[in-house]
Amino acid sequence: MQEETISKQVRVLTLETNGDLLSGKLYRLKKGWQMRFMLGPSLQAEDVRIFCNHPNEKRKKFSRTLYHEFLFVSPTDHRNDTCDTFAMVDLVLAGSFHFYFTIDGSDQQSSVNGQGYFLVDPTLTVGVDHLPLDCIQCQTVISKSLGSMYHWEGRLKVAKETGYNMIHFTPIQELGHSNSAYSIRDQLMVNPTFSDEGKTATFKDVLAFVRHMEDDWGVLSMTDLVYNHTSSDTPWLQANPECSYNLVNTSHLKPAFLMDRMLWHVTLAVADGKLEYRGIVPTIQHESDLQLMEKYLMDSFLPIYKLYEFYTCDVEAVVKKFKKLVQEGKVVEAGDSKLSEESLHLIQDPEYRRLETSVSMTDALAVFNVDKPGVKSRDERIKKCCEDFENHLVKLNQVKIDAMNDHIATAVKNFLANIRYRFVQDDGLRLKTVTRKQPLMDRYFTFPVGVPESSVEDDESLMDFDDTACIIMAHNGWVMNYDPRKNFAHSDSNVYLRRELIVWSDSVKLRYGESPADCPFLWDLMLEYTRTVVNIFHAIRLDNCHSTPVHVAEFMMDAARKVRPELYVVAELFTTGESLDNLFINHLGITTLIREAMSAWDSHEEGRLVHRYGGVPVGAFIQPHVQPLVPCVAHAIFYDMTHDNPSPIEKRCVYDALPTSALVAMACCASGSNRGYDELVPHHIHVVKEKRPYTYWNNTDNCGHMDINMANGIIAAKRALNDLHYELGIQGYSQVFVDQMNVNVVAVTRHNPTNHKTVVLIAHTSFTYPPHSKEKADVRPVIVTGNIDEVILEAKLVHHGSHSYHENKDVINGLPDFSLKLKKHIQLKDSEMATMWNDDNGKKSIGLTNLTPGSVIAFRVTLDNKSSSSIKSIKSMLQEITQEHSAESDDSIR
C-alpha cells in the first residue's frame, strides 16, 4: 500500500443487518487514517450502536476486552435522515481490533447484529527514517551457525553489504539435544554457543548487537517465537509434566502410545535381524520388502495386542452385573420414552483401561429387563433378558473392533509410507540400514530415561503408574490438510493412533488448556519468554502458527504489543484457504504472511505469485482520500527461498537462482531470502543437521576459504536487486503488470502513477537444467512508448568447468565454478543482452538478442516530451474540475 502524503486517508465500511464480517475477510488500514462506519439500507431505520476495542482517545491503552462506543454523527445535522451519518475511529494504534454493533439499543455482545475485525499496520523506523513494509528486504540466518558473538559482526555483515535491511534470526535460546534450530531447551536462556571464552552471552549482549545493527548498519532484526513445542529434554518438563500431553492428563493417548511401542519394537527386531526368518532384513531397499512387512504386521504381530480392548467392555462381567441386579429385583421405569436398544451405547472408560468401558446400567435395565412373552418362569425370563443384553453388547463391541481395525490399517499404511520415504524412494532419505538411530519411523512419544525396553508388555505396564505415565509425553509435529482450528492431540482426534502425524521426535507438544488457570506455570513462562524477546527485536515470526492455539497466541501478542507497540508480526501459516488465514490474522494481528517462490512449479506460476502479492494494475485510477473499505489480500513477505526450502540448485537448477531473485525483487511487497542462497550453496542448510558456521565478509583482495565478498555467487546482483526493490517501494511504483513472454521468460513492469516513470525487468527462468546454457531466448521484441533512460542492470551466471564443488568442513560454502557477469546503470547501446530500433510508427522496439537461461535485464523508462506535456494538461484540467467537487464533498462529510 503506497504511502499517502495528501489529505487524511478515510476508509468507509458500510454496515448491514446480520453483517457477520468475521467470515474470512481482511481489512487493512494504517495509523493516522480514519475509519468510518456508515449505515447500509437495511439499518437506516434501526437504532444502531457500534462498539470497538480500539481506544477512543490517543492516550488510552488497548485492552482486548474493553470496548468503547463510537457515536454516529451527521455532517448535515438532519435528525430524520440517517443516510449520511457515520461513526468514526481515528486510528492511533497498530494491531488488530474487533468491532460489533447492535440494533436493539443494547451494548452487550450477546445482542450483536454484526461484527468484524480491522488490522492497522505498525510503523517501522530505522533511526529516524520510516521503513515502509513493502521496502523490507529480510535475510534469514540459522542462529546456531553464527558461532560465538565475537564472530557475529563479520558473519552478519554479509547481509548488510548485500543490501538487506532486516535480519531474521532463528531462535537465539538454548537448543535441545537434537540441536534443531527450533527445538528450544530453555526459553529464558541464551544459546551457550554464543558465549566467548571467559564471557557468557546474555540477552543484554544480544540487545546491544541488535542496536548496533540498527544504529550503524540501518538493519532491523526479527526472531521467532515458538509456542507450540519445547525440546524433549527441557528441564522444566520433568518438574511440570502438566505442561505436556501425557498419559495421565491425556489418557486417551494410551492406545496410541502402545501402538508407538509396538512399532518401535518392530524396528528393534528388524535392526537385530530377528525377522530375517520372515524375509524382513535390516537393509530395506525394495517395495517387496514393504509387502513382507505389511503381511507380518497385519497378520501376525499387531493382532496379538488387541488394541480394541481399550474401547470395548468385558461382556461377561457386564452381563453378570446386569443379571445380579435383575435377580435382586431392580426394575427401572423407562423415564425417557425414546430409550431403545439403539440408544444404549458404550461409555468410554476415562482412564482408558482394557475392557473397562461400561454402559449405563440404569438404561440397560430399562431397555432389557422387560417382560418376555412366552417364557414360563422367572429364571427363563432373566436368562432371555441377559441373552438379549449380551447380544447387544457384542454388537457394540464389534463396532469398536471394526473402528480399531480401520485405525490399525491406516496406521500400517502410514508406517509403510514412512519406511518407503526413508529407505526406498529415489527422492527420499535413502537410508541404507535399519538401526536404533535410523528407525523405520520416528517415535511419537517420549520414553522414560533409564527404563529397559524389554517388551511391549513391560512398556504397557508403565501406563498403570502415574509417576511414569506422566513423563510419557506426546511429541509435536504437523498433519497434512488438518483443520488448524482443531487440536490433533484432543480426545476427539485419532491422529496419533493412526500415525498421521509428521512427527518432530525431538520436541514435546505443549498443553496450555483454555486459560492461564489451566496451566499457570506454562503461561507464566511463555509470557516472560515473549516479553524478553520483543524487548530485543523489532519483529517476530510466529513459528508453526497454524498449529498454535489461537487463544494462546492472541494472549501473547497482546502482551508483546504492550512492550513494543509497533511490533512487526510475521507468520508461517499453512491452512486450507485464505479465509482461514484471515481468521488467524484477525485474531493475532499478524502484519505479514510468509510466501515462497519455491512453491511455484513453473515460471507462469511464479509470475502469478508476483502479481498476487501486491500492487494494483498498471493504469488504475488514483483514488480519492475518502474511499470504501474493501477486503484485501494479506500483506506478504515473498521469499526466493526460506530456510525450510531445499536449495533451488537441488530443486530446480543453478541458473534459476538469479531470475527467481529478480522476480521476487519486482514484487510490490516485502522480500526475503535465506543465507546461502546468494552464495549458491548447492544443498539445503539443514536446521537440525548443519554444524558448520557461515563465512565472514571480507571486502578485500585477500579472501581466504572462510571469507566471501561481492565476487561470490550472485551477491553483487542481489545487492543491485535489493537496491531496486527498495527504490520501487519508497518512490511509489505501486502499479504492477506481469507478462509471460514465453514458457521460461517473464517480464514484470512496475509503474509510478504520479510521475509516470516505469521499470521493466525481464527474467529468463530455468526450472530445469537447460540443454544448452548459452541458448538464446526466442521471444518477441518489447515495445516501448517513451524514453529508455538506462539499463538499470543486466546479469547472468557464467560456468567455469575448471572447478568442482567440495563441501568445506570448516564453513558453509557455495559453488566455486560459477561467476556472475553484471553491468549496472549503462546505456542500452552498451548492453550485451538487448538492442533497440524504431519501427515505422516511431515506437521503440527492444530485441532480447542474448537472453540466455538465468539472465536478467531491467530498463528504466520515462515518458517522451509529447506524452509528458499531454498528461500535464489532463492533470491541470482534472484539478480544476475536481477542486470544486472536492470542496463540496468535504463540506458534506465534515
Side-chain angles (χ1 to χ4, degrees):
M1 292 164 58
Q2 182 183 345
E3 291 296 311
E4 299 288 351
T5 57
I6 54 176
S7 304
K8 173 180 262 190
Q9 292 293 305
V10 177
R11 297 296 180 267
V12 180
L13 183 63
T14 302
L15 305 176
E16 298 289 355
T17 186
N18 297 318
D20 187 357
L21 303 174
L22 286 172
S23 56
K25 293 182 180 179
L26 174 63
Y27 298 97
R28 282 183 61 207
L29 303 106
K30 292 191 175 187
K31 283 174 56 184
W33 289 10
Q34 186 180 92
M35 182 173 179
R36 293 181 180 174
F37 298 97
M38 295 194 71
L39 303 180
S42 62
L43 292 173
Q44 292 293 325
E46 304 292 349
D47 179 19
V48 179
R49 297 179 69 187
I50 189 159
F51 304 88
C52 181
N53 58 10
H54 185 285
N56 56 2
E57 294 180 20
K58 191 171 184 178
R59 60 184 177 81
K60 291 185 178 179
K61 295 183 178 181
F62 168 76
S63 172
R64 185 169 295 275
T65 58
L66 178 62
Y67 286 81
H68 310 275
E69 182 172 8
F70 290 84
L71 301 177
F72 284 90
V73 297
S74 171
T76 56
D77 202 27
H78 291 165
R79 296 183 179 181
N80 297 323
D81 183 2
T82 59
C83 292
D84 61 351
T85 62
F86 59 82
M88 60 183 179
V89 182
D90 289 313
L91 305 177
V92 298
L93 287 182
S96 181
F97 304 95
H98 179 249
F99 66 87
Y100 69 91
F101 64 89
T102 63
I103 60 174
D104 61 357
S106 169
D107 62 356
Q108 300 299 311
Q109 286 198 56
S110 57
S111 301
V112 63
N113 192 256
Q115 58 184 328
Y117 286 90
F118 58 88
L119 184 71
V120 181
D121 289 341
T123 301
L124 294 181
T125 56
V126 183
V128 297
D129 297 325
H130 175 219
L131 177 63
L133 300 185
D134 290 344
C135 293
I136 290 171
Q137 292 144 191
C138 180
Q139 185 182 66
T140 295
V141 295
I142 310 299
S143 297
K144 66 178 184 176
S145 294
L146 293 172
S148 70
M149 294 196 70
Y150 173 81
H151 300 280
W152 282 26
E153 178 90 8
R155 287 176 174 149
L156 290 172
K157 201 169 185 181
V158 175
K160 182 253 185 185
E161 296 297 333
T162 313
Y164 294 100
N165 53 30
M166 181 178 285
I167 295 176
H168 163 222
F169 297 80
T170 60
I172 61 168
Q173 288 75 18
E174 180 184 3
L175 303 179
H177 61 92
S178 70
N179 203 35
S180 166
Y182 283 88
S183 186
I184 300 174
R185 185 174 188 267
D186 188 339
Q187 286 73 12
L188 304 181
M189 177 73 69
V190 169
N191 192 330
T193 64
F194 299 163
S195 299
D196 295 304
E197 188 174 344
K199 173 132 181 15
T200 301
T202 66
F203 288 116
K204 287 184 178 179
D205 297 323
V206 178
L207 174 60
F209 193 89
V210 163
R211 287 178 175 170
H212 159 59
M213 284 169 46
E214 180 181 4
D215 295 342
D216 301 330
W217 294 358
V219 175
L220 300 183
S221 62
M222 173 165 63
T223 194
D224 294 85
L225 285 171
V226 184
Y227 291 127
N228 208 30
H229 55 265
T230 192
S231 177
S232 55
D233 64 340
T234 295
W236 51 259
L237 272 179
Q238 302 302 311
N240 300 275
E242 73 280 3
C243 299
S244 70
Y245 290 88
N246 60 62
L247 300 190
V248 173
N249 63 20
T250 324
S251 55
H252 64 270
L253 291 176
K254 287 181 178 179
F257 167 70
L258 195 57
M259 171 69 81
D260 194 51
R261 298 308 299 168
M262 290 155 61
L263 297 178
W264 176 248
H265 282 280
V266 170
T267 283
L268 300 182
V270 173
D272 294 340
K274 294 180 180 180
L275 295 181
E276 291 186 7
Y277 75 98
R278 300 189 68 103
I280 302 173
V281 296
T283 52
I284 295 176
Q285 297 178 343
H286 308 291
E287 195 67 28
S288 58
D289 297 328
L290 302 184
Q291 293 170 359
L292 291 172
M293 176 68 73
E294 182 178 20
K295 182 173 177 58
Y296 169 67
L297 291 173
M298 295 299 292
D299 297 346
S300 302
F301 184 68
L302 297 181
I304 297 172
Y305 297 100
K306 301 179 181 178
L307 287 181
Y308 59 81
E309 288 187 345
F310 289 98
Y311 301 90
T312 56
C313 68
D314 183 336
V315 173
E316 182 178 350
V318 175
V319 171
K320 185 177 180 180
K321 181 179 180 181
F322 174 83
K323 182 177 181 180
K324 183 174 183 295
L325 292 173
V326 173
Q327 288 174 333
E328 291 173 354
K330 299 289 185 183
V331 179
V332 178
E333 294 293 334
D336 185 351
S337 60
K338 295 182 180 179
L339 269 180
S340 65
E341 289 189 18
E342 287 70 27
S343 63
L344 185 66
H345 55 81
L346 294 177
I347 301 172
Q348 179 62 52
D349 172 38
E351 296 181 26
Y352 282 76
R353 295 166 295 181
R354 286 185 183 270
L355 298 175
E356 290 295 332
T357 296
S358 61
V359 296
S360 167
M361 202 55 70
T362 300
D363 290 351
L365 290 169
V367 173
F368 288 98
N369 186 21
V370 294
D371 291 336
K372 300 294 182 181
V375 299
K376 297 180 180 179
S377 66
R378 179 173 181 270
D379 289 343
E380 187 178 352
R381 187 189 75 82
I382 293 174
K383 180 181 178 182
K384 181 63 176 171
C385 290
C386 290
E387 287 174 353
D388 290 346
F389 182 45
E390 179 178 356
N391 290 336
H392 184 66
L393 292 178
V394 170
K395 289 180 182 177
L396 294 178
N397 274 355
Q398 190 60 50
V399 172
K400 298 294 185 180
I401 292 170
D402 291 343
M404 177 53 69
N405 288 339
D406 179 66
H407 295 327
I408 290 173
T410 301
V412 170
K413 176 184 174 183
N414 290 325
F415 183 61
L416 295 174
N418 269 266
I419 300 173
R420 184 178 294 110
Y421 173 72
R422 296 164 76 87
F423 293 91
V424 179
Q425 279 180 212
D426 290 336
D427 59 347
L429 300 180
R430 298 296 292 174
L431 303 177
K432 297 186 181 303
T433 307
V434 179
T435 66
R436 293 178 70 95
K437 291 186 177 180
Q438 294 180 171
L440 296 170
M441 185 177 186
D442 288 327
R443 290 185 277 185
Y444 275 23
F445 293 85
T446 63
F447 193 76
V449 176
V451 175
E453 297 179 316
S454 54
S455 68
V456 176
E457 290 78 8
D458 288 344
D459 294 345
E460 182 175 351
S461 69
L462 298 175
M463 303 190 304
D464 298 332
F465 304 98
D466 285 358
D467 58 340
T468 52
C470 72
I471 56 174
I472 296 173
M473 303 173 182
H475 290 307
N476 196 30
W478 66 284
V479 186
M480 189 79 72
N481 298 323
Y482 197 77
D483 187 340
R485 293 167 294 184
K486 296 181 179 179
N487 181 356
F488 56 73
H490 196 266
S491 59
D492 62 358
S493 166
N494 290 301
V495 162
Y496 283 87
L497 179 60
R498 293 165 68 90
R499 311 295 286 186
E500 293 171 334
L501 183 71
I502 299 173
V503 68
W504 303 327
S505 58
D506 59 349
S507 297
V508 166
K509 184 173 175 65
L510 292 175
R511 181 177 182 268
Y512 289 87
E514 296 304 315
S515 71
D518 292 334
C519 194
F521 176 85
L522 182 59
W523 286 78
D524 289 346
L525 176 83
M526 289 303 181
L527 185 58
E528 185 177 354
Y529 163 56
T530 300
R531 289 169 173 163
T532 301
V533 166
V534 299
N535 183 58
I536 298 172
F537 293 92
H538 307 89
I540 58 100
R541 173 184 178 273
L542 291 174
D543 178 63
N544 202 224
C545 183
H546 43 275
S547 293
T548 302
V550 171
H551 66 287
V552 173
E554 189 177 65
F555 178 90
M556 299 301 170
M557 289 302 94
D558 287 351
R561 287 191 174 93
K562 290 179 181 178
V563 176
R564 189 178 290 272
E566 300 298 333
L567 183 67
Y568 178 50
V569 181
V570 177
E572 171 195 46
L573 258 185
F574 300 109
T575 71
T576 53
E578 186 175 301
S579 62
L580 204 47
D581 282 354
N582 291 343
L583 182 145
F584 280 86
I585 293 169
N586 285 331
H587 278 273
L588 309 185
I590 297 168
T591 316
T592 299
L593 294 184
I594 294 168
R595 302 303 190 192
E596 303 174 358
M598 285 293 115
S599 67
W601 50 86
D602 60 19
S603 66
H604 183 275
E605 174 63 10
E606 195 158 270
R608 187 192 71 83
L609 296 179
V610 172
H611 185 268
R612 172 70 173 163
Y613 294 141
V616 295
V618 171
F621 289 109
I622 297 177
Q623 298 297 314
H625 65 278
V626 179
Q627 304 173 33
L629 181 62
V630 296
C632 62
V633 176
H635 185 257
I637 181 166
F638 193 26
Y639 276 79
D640 50 25
M641 182 182 78
T642 71
H643 61 289
D644 291 323
N645 295 144
S647 166
I649 300 171
E650 294 174 305
K651 186 172 182 178
R652 298 178 183 175
C653 88
V654 64
Y655 290 104
D656 193 65
L658 178 57
T660 286
S661 270
L663 292 174
V664 166
M666 290 297 287
C668 191
C669 61
S671 66
S673 189
N674 186 50
R675 177 71 187 269
Y677 184 101
D678 302 335
E679 297 151 67
L680 299 181
V681 174
H683 59 81
H684 183 206
I685 302 175
H686 204 282
V687 296
V688 179
K689 299 176 182 176
E690 186 59 69
K691 294 180 172 60
R692 298 170 299 161
Y694 294 120
T695 49
Y696 300 94
W697 183 258
N698 184 349
N699 200 26
T700 70
D701 295 331
N702 190 27
C703 266
H705 75 284
M706 303 284 285
D707 304 325
I708 59 171
N709 57 28
M710 285 293 178
N712 291 84
I714 61 168
I715 289 177
K718 180 58 79 69
R719 174 59 190 254
L721 290 168
N722 278 336
D723 290 347
L724 177 59
H725 176 263
Y726 183 85
E727 175 193 333
L728 296 175
I730 203 73
Q731 293 186 11
Y733 286 73
S734 59
Q735 298 186 345
V736 182
F737 176 72
V738 180
D739 183 15
Q740 189 77 34
M741 300 186 71
N742 74 11
V743 173
N744 296 312
V745 178
V746 180
V748 181
T749 299
R750 290 281 296 272
H751 180 70
N752 186 317
T754 303
N755 60 27
H756 299 283
K757 293 181 179 180
T758 299
V759 171
V760 180
L761 182 142
I762 302 167
H764 188 164
T765 66
S766 189
F767 277 61
T768 58
Y769 270 91
H772 306 287
S773 62
K774 296 182 180 180
E775 184 176 354
K776 300 168 185 176
D778 181 17
V779 292
R780 67 185 184 276
V782 178
I783 309 300
V784 177
T785 302
N787 302 316
I788 298 177
D789 287 1
E790 65 169 342
V791 175
I792 302 171
L793 65 89
E794 64 177 31
K796 66 178 180 180
L797 277 178
V798 179
H799 183 233
H800 306 284
S802 56
H803 301 88
S804 59
Y805 177 77
H806 298 285
E807 193 171 286
N808 192 315
K809 64 181 177 61
D810 297 320
V811 289
I812 300 169
N813 59 311
L815 294 176
D817 52 335
F818 284 86
S819 63
L820 178 74
K821 191 170 185 180
L822 171 68
K823 290 185 176 182
K824 297 189 296 182
H825 305 296
I826 60 172
Q827 294 302 303
L828 189 58
K829 64 183 177 60
D830 299 318
S831 171
E832 296 181 14
M833 295 185 184
T835 59
M836 185 180 72
W837 63 89
N838 293 325
D839 62 16
D840 296 337
N841 298 319
K843 292 181 179 178
K844 298 178 179 65
S845 296
I846 300 174
L848 302 169
T849 55
N850 193 25
L851 195 70
T852 56
S855 299
V856 170
I857 186 168
F859 311 96
R860 190 184 307 279
V861 181
T862 56
L863 294 174
D864 56 41
N865 291 334
K866 183 179 179 181
S867 299
S868 180
S869 177
S870 298
I871 287 179
K872 285 181 180 178
S873 298
I874 293 172
K875 282 186 174 180
S876 177
M877 185 185 305
L878 289 173
Q879 190 173 9
E880 291 177 8
I881 295 173
T882 57
Q883 273 181 345
E884 183 176 345
H885 170 74
S886 178
E888 293 174 356
S889 176
D890 287 344
D891 286 341
S892 69
I893 62 176
R894 283 193 184 103

